[in-house]
Amino acid sequence: MLFGRSKKNPIKLTDKGAVEWKYTTCGYCSTGCSIEVGLNSDGKAVSARGVGDADVNRGKLCIKGILEYELFETPGRGRVPLLRNRRDETFQQASWDQALMRTTDEIKRIQSQYGRDAFAIVSTGQIMTEEFYTLGKLARGLIGTNNYDGNTTLCMSSAVSGYKRSFGSDGPPGCYEDFEHTDCLIAFGSNLPEQHPIIYWRMREAREQRKFPLIVVDPRVTMLAQMADMHLAINPGTDLVLLNALAHVILAEGLQDEQYIASHTEGFEDFKALVAQYDPVSAAKICGIDEDTIRNVARLYANAPSAMSIWTMGINQSTHGSDGVVAINNLNLITGNIGKPGGTSLSITGQCNAMGTREWSSCSGLPGYRALEKEKDREEIAKFWNVDPEFFPKKRGLFMTDILPAIETGQIKGLWLIATNPMTSMPNTARIRKTLERLEFLVVQDAYADVETNEYSHVFLPAGLWAEKEGCFTNTERRVNLIRNVMPPHGESKPDLWIFNSIAKHFDAEGKVRFPETAEAVFDEMKQLSKGRLLDMSGMSYAKIEQQRGLQWPCPDGAATGTPRLYSDGVFQYPGGKAKLLALPFVDNNERPDDEFPFWLNSGRVVEHFHTRTRTGKIGNQNKFSPTPYMEMNPDAAAELGVEHGRYARLVSRRGDAVVLVQCTQRVSRDMVFVPFHYHECVNRLTLGLLDPHSRQPAFKQAAVRVEPISDQTAAAALNLAARAY
Ligand code: SF4
């Protein structure tokens, strides 16, 4: 294949010999790009390409998607089940029967000895929706523990909580097409070019056509901030103050949409009284954005015919993440920007199937956005699953971030981790290590046997990865897309669906509860349960999803296609149909820099890595861009401390320390350092992770550290190398 034929040295792309292309969906971020994996004549995956007629990515992929086909042969994969009696023993290979028997025996022993809730389950945002649904049926309907949650508490629970508080239900109301209609965009704590490159490309293309203003709110000069019309370098953790001040200006200057507020919201008077306290002069002193800028942004947003807000972890990973989401929703409700083209509150989700777990896993309730607290929902699901409704708890149990402390206090004795890696992803690594060591029984189910958390397990269950299985993911814009089975699972590993179904047989030998064997049959059950609900998928089928390259719910039976936006009729999910405007006072409870720890510690993603690098750290052409733990530091601050660019330095917080390579850059202010969160034994040795009271999501991005130069650079390099070995 040749480009630039008229030029002297045309670029040549190697023909990798793909003879067959199989349809799938990217298994990294929540953008939801459609991918075709190319297989050569030996059936080996040799290439990948974006699907040209898929609306999400229109033929494009980012570096992770382009190289994703290499995952099938990455090192560190689990090949066989592993067993040991104690953590300090060497693992022994085992048969699946032995591993599943040991797991179910231990779950039963712990539950009979300490009570049903003494065994906890924490899953992920990475497996298929059909697998989430099946795990939920097993956890809620057969095992019966209420301490069951997902690692999405670390990334999306503030968005879930905020949507529920404002609109009466989870579910992002907007879509990517909104970029093509909007007249003003504010991005809060969202660095699209690195986190969601293809959403960024959609936004950028729309902006080139229509030149709408882009305002970026972020303490760091991110890639997106560099391209913005206005960059509001906010003080960490003070978004709520800025949002209240924007609302203050809008109401003080009469720029609100009175008709929308009167017809579709309640709580306006209390909200108005609260934001009256957040005048721009006072707010500027807290959030660090000057009063004129606050007024200008408020006017720009409220006067735009349609305006939209997007956000990611800069809002969610905060002690007031849920309030931040509600405040964004407030802004869009008072300006009438919900459910219309270009007007929306769009949470950009994290993991490829964080939405799938929110919708169907039963972690926070029961499947299909049903609640444990509602008798009608319990009865309906109990009847459908053929279980006793009294077996269900009447309110949700602990979040992931409360399950781990409950191990510390002895309330929880056994844990099953599915495709999640708390040894790297949870704040305060030293505390998590001690926590896992206290468990009587830990089972780790993962595609990789070398995942850090597996060092603490008694049983390892090797699982299939991405397109070694079949099923669906839901992306940020509620689009359900299909992953076709491209490869058999590696070694003797099994699809997560098979593992859940097999464990179910140990709890229900007579087969009282039906566990369909194929993903498509599970999908049929979900369709039935979705009928008439907000997330109606009854009009979907695998064939139709593939043919349309994904369908957005609601897609009721008989519908030709999906629905791009929620709440276009102004009817919300609360009884009475009105959204809530909520008054949100700011409580400043974060750890802050002081004389001993004078820097803000900020963290985030880089484009070439995903989460804890279990996958991207194994692909050479990705890992080479940032193979080692590093930090961005302002050159003036570095010079003052005698810290040099390209050398190692030590970061110290009240929790621990980490050795990082220094990268001097003006992207960060003099009182801040930024560290990518992907590395083991790095940023989370330092973080405090105070929890949001509503969502229980940790404040990963607000902690205080000091920076120390290191004289022994050779020893520092050895420590840094050890951290990157994972
Ligand atoms: S943008 Fe996200 S979904 Fe698309 S290819 Fe990249 S990682 Fe995959």
Side-chain angles (χ1 to χ4, degrees), residues 452-469:
E452 296 87 313
T453 305
N454 202 25
E455 287 181 19
Y456 301 83
S457 76
H458 301 88
V459 173
F460 171 73
L461 304 176
L465 170 98
W466 181 48
E468 292 174 351
K469 311 181 288 182

Side-chain angles (χ1 to χ4, degrees), residues 39 91 157 201 255 469 656:
L39 304 175
F91 273 125
S157 62
W201 167 74
L255 304 176
K469 311 181 288 182

Side-chain angles (χ1 to χ4, degrees), residues 26 28-33 35 61-62 64-65 68 195-198:
C26 179
Y28 285 114
C29 88
S30 70
T31 303
C33 297
I35 296 185
L61 295 173
C62 80
K64 292 191 283 291
E68 199 166 5
Q195 296 161 346
H196 302 87
I198 300 300

Side-chain angles (χ1 to χ4, degrees), residues 342-493:
T344 193
S345 265
L346 184 62
S347 138
I348 309 285
T349 310
Q351 304 177 68
C352 57
N353 205 19
M355 281 295 294
T357 185
R358 284 153 68 169
E359 297 155 6
W360 290 102
S361 71
S362 306
C363 278
S364 63
L366 290 166
Y369 287 156
R370 289 173 175 85
L372 283 163
E373 291 77 5
K374 291 183 183 165
E375 187 181 355
K376 180 172 165 293
D377 289 354
R378 294 196 303 271
E379 296 278 349
E380 197 177 354
I381 293 299
K383 189 167 171 214
F384 193 84
W385 285 351
N386 194 28
V387 298
D388 179 355
E390 287 306 310
F391 193 66
F392 293 147
K394 297 190 173 53
K395 62 175 187 174
R396 75 164 291 171
L398 298 175
F399 288 71
M400 176 190 185
T401 44
D402 291 312
I403 285 174
L404 287 145
I407 297 167
E408 263 179 347
T409 57
Q411 186 187 339
I412 288 173
K413 304 286 188 186
L415 178 64
W416 180 8
L417 294 174
I418 298 147
T420 190
N421 187 16
M423 274 306 297
T424 297
S425 61
M426 281 288 287
N428 199 345
T429 310
R431 185 177 174 193
I432 300 303
R433 178 177 292 112
K434 282 190 198 146
T435 301
L436 295 181
E437 284 172 357
R438 282 187 64 104
L439 285 165
E440 290 186 13
F441 179 69
L442 172 65
V443 51
V444 167
Q445 178 174 328
D446 204 291
Y448 288 90
D450 65 355
V451 67
E452 296 87 313
T453 305
N454 202 25
E455 287 181 19
Y456 301 83
S457 76
H458 301 88
V459 173
F460 171 73
L461 304 176
L465 170 98
W466 181 48
E468 292 174 351
K469 311 181 288 182
E470 188 155 78
C472 292
F473 293 155
T474 309
N475 77 351
T476 283
E477 56 171 2
R478 293 169 284 100
R479 187 181 299 272
V480 178
N481 211 341
L482 189 65
I483 298 91
R484 288 285 187 201
N485 182 204
V486 172
M487 281 281 152
H490 179 75
E492 289 176 30
S493 63

Side-chain angles (χ1 to χ4, degrees), residues 246-256 261 268 271-272 275 334:
L246 293 174
H248 175 105
V249 175
I250 290 168
L251 298 186
E253 299 189 5
L255 304 176
Q256 69 273 26
I261 294 169
F268 180 65
F271 170 74
K272 189 175 165 187
V275 299
I334 62 170

Side-chain angles (χ1 to χ4, degrees), residues 661-675:
L661 197 63
V662 178
Q663 188 179 93
C664 286
T665 168
Q666 299 285 355
R667 279 188 179 204
V668 284
S669 56
R670 285 181 70 126
D671 64 347
M672 178 180 293
V673 294
F674 172 86
V675 182

